[in-house]
Amino acid sequence: MEELAIYGGRPVRETPVYYGRQCIEQDDVEAVTAALVSDLITCGPRTTQLEEMLCSITGAKYAVVVSNGTAALHLAALAAGFAEGDEVIVSSITFAASANCVRYCGAVPVFADIDPRTYNLDPDSVRKLITPKTKAVVAVDFTGQAVKLDELRAICREHGLTLIEDAAHAIGTKYKGQPVGSISDMTCFSFHPVKTITSGEGGAVTTNDEQLYRKLLRLRTHGITRNQEEMVHPTDAKWYNEQVELGYNYRLTDFQAALLISQLRKLPRFSARRREIVERYNEAFKDMPEIILQEEIAESDTTRHLYIIRLNPELLHCDRRQFFDALYAENICPQVHYMPVYYHSYYEKLGYTKGICPNAEKFYEEVMSIPLYYSLTDKEVEDVIRAVKKVTAYYGKA
Ligand SMILES: *Cc1c(COP(=O)(O)O)cnc(C)c1O
């Protein structure tokens, strides 16, 4: 058996490969440069063009681009009217921002468990947590795979709840043939560099509801409106604008919009390559009982953001920490997505305790995300596979 690098053996690679990274090409650079020397470098024509493109890609009636994905979630939470005394049901396996947006509004996140096979929010768990105080559900399309949107929409309709979809992982994904972004009451996207396409920092909210759209637009710019219909003191004076509520400055610059327009055009190519890598990994790991793969549901045509391997603890002599460190030493650098949000000490201090979501907690003990991004070369993909097999063979009980 090959000696693991962590015990002094030769690593599978000499240079590290990380779980994710952006792909910026020459035409992206040129698009940004052109925007930088134009008249308007924030909230200019590129922002409008980008919003139109997002509408056409997602099929949503309205899109509001903002400074990052967390700002998108915050504005969606405000537009949905989250306030003190409200409860909002949130996926337990997600980035903290999905729950933080509830806290920003003084409301209480209630964590729901995941399906142990798809790792997405389990609608049955959501149903059990509904109380008279429940205001909304924040559901995450984890790894890019669409959450069970039909079930969640039915639950929300029945109980008068708002459905906010955190699609930070899922730009380009379709659910039953319909693009993510046009299905929930509001859908939030992130364009952070690890996501499928990037504007450095950036985000968006899409919706089909005109009222929500108007509110999102206002909240993005300080709560200020130039629309007379929205004013308490309407006037047609050209200089007049009115702050009608407390908003923020969550605008995106036009040079970031230029980058995202350029990146959006590449989405089909980026998605296809990610799909190819996913298929290669699936093929390589399918006959390894030590590694459990995420179940794919037929309803989701997925642009995959993350590739997760889950260890079968019964067939390995090591725990996740040892496996992770061993892989890292081979220069294949995984990451863990995610720890249950309520394990964070901030949430612990608010009184959340272990045991709330058993499936999520078990999931966290056993998983890691291996490299998946557009510019990963075939050689790098094979190195990842070789390293996973090497570590598995070393620790495997078979
Ligand atoms: C990245 C991410 C966010 C936050 O997006 P930012 O643009 O980094 O603020 C929110 N939710 C999920 C699930 C994410 O992966």
Side-chain angles (χ1 to χ4, degrees), residues 318-340:
C318 67
D319 62 13
R320 189 267 313 273
R321 173 70 193 268
Q322 288 168 303
F323 196 104
F324 184 104
D325 289 345
L327 209 50
Y328 217 93
E330 301 296 334
N331 273 322
I332 302 301
C333 306
Q335 181 51 284
V336 173
H337 300 93
Y338 294 96
M339 180 169 83

Side-chain angles (χ1 to χ4, degrees), residues 15-299:
T15 55
V17 185
Y18 296 94
Y19 84 91
R21 67 161 290 145
Q22 72 278 11
C23 169
I24 303 291
E25 297 170 320
Q26 190 52 36
D27 58 344
D28 295 314
V29 175
E30 282 157 17
V32 174
T33 311
L36 272 172
V37 296
S38 69
D39 288 336
L40 293 168
I41 62 170
T42 193
C43 268
R46 290 171 182 88
T47 297
T48 313
Q49 189 191 343
L50 172 59
E51 287 174 342
E52 285 166 5
M53 274 177 91
L54 281 169
C55 286
S56 86
I57 283 166
T58 62
K61 280 197 190 144
Y62 308 102
V64 177
V65 298
V66 294
S67 42
N68 56 65
T70 304
L73 285 162
H74 187 191
L75 292 194
L78 288 167
F82 294 7
E84 215 161 305
D86 292 335
E87 292 176 357
V88 177
I89 299 171
V90 182
S91 306
S92 47
I93 294 296
T94 181
F95 183 59
S98 315
N100 291 346
C101 69
V102 179
R103 294 295 307 136
Y104 294 156
C105 303
V108 175
V110 176
F111 293 101
D113 211 350
I114 57 166
D115 179 310
R117 291 172 303 276
T118 64
Y119 318 146
N120 254 335
L121 184 59
D122 176 5
D124 288 332
S125 174
V126 171
R127 219 175 263 115
K128 289 187 195 130
L129 295 170
I130 294 173
T131 74
K133 290 181 176 172
T134 308
K135 178 89 180 174
V137 175
V138 178
V140 180
D141 301 313
F142 182 59
T143 73
Q145 172 156 255
V147 70
K148 286 189 169 160
L149 286 163
D150 276 355
E151 285 87 336
L152 291 173
R153 282 176 69 193
I155 292 169
C156 287
R157 203 177 312 118
E158 185 186 335
H159 296 274
L161 312 177
T162 304
L163 179 58
I164 296 178
E165 189 178 346
D166 180 344
H169 297 181
I171 184 96
T173 290
K174 290 181 179 152
Y175 176 79
K176 295 188 176 173
Q178 192 180 344
V180 155
S182 59
I183 302 168
S184 300
D185 295 311
M186 285 176 275
T187 306
C188 299
F189 295 97
S190 164
F191 306 114
H192 180 277
V194 298
K195 310 293 157 79
T196 300
I197 54 169
T198 188
S199 48
E201 297 282 355
V205 188
T206 57
T207 183
N208 290 325
D209 182 310
E210 191 184 347
Q211 293 303 34
L212 290 173
Y213 171 62
R214 301 243 152 259
K215 197 153 170 78
L216 291 164
L217 275 185
R218 269 200 314 273
L219 289 167
R220 176 175 69 179
T221 304
H222 310 283
I224 287 175
T225 183
R226 288 181 171 279
N227 181 345
Q228 282 193 53
E229 284 168 33
E230 296 175 15
M231 291 177 182
V232 176
H233 306 293
T235 158
D236 58 3
K238 283 194 173 50
W239 48 268
Y240 188 76
N241 59 60
E242 188 177 302
Q243 186 189 341
V244 294
E245 63 188 319
L246 187 62
Y248 298 81
N249 176 358
Y250 280 164
R251 295 184 300 256
L252 190 72
T253 65
D254 243 40
F255 44 96
Q256 288 173 297
L259 177 53
L260 201 56
I261 289 167
S262 180
Q263 291 259 306
L264 264 176
R265 296 197 179 109
K266 303 169 189 217
L267 182 58
R269 173 160 59 95
F270 285 5
S271 300
R273 175 61 181 155
R274 283 174 174 268
R275 210 173 284 253
E276 207 172 78
I277 298 168
V278 166
E279 278 165 20
R280 178 68 193 107
Y281 284 155
N282 284 346
E283 178 62 29
F285 303 136
K286 74 174 193 307
D287 297 323
M288 292 172 63
E290 299 89 347
I291 304 287
I292 298 160
L293 301 182
Q294 182 182 7
E295 190 173 294
E296 297 178 0
I297 61 165
E299 294 86 342

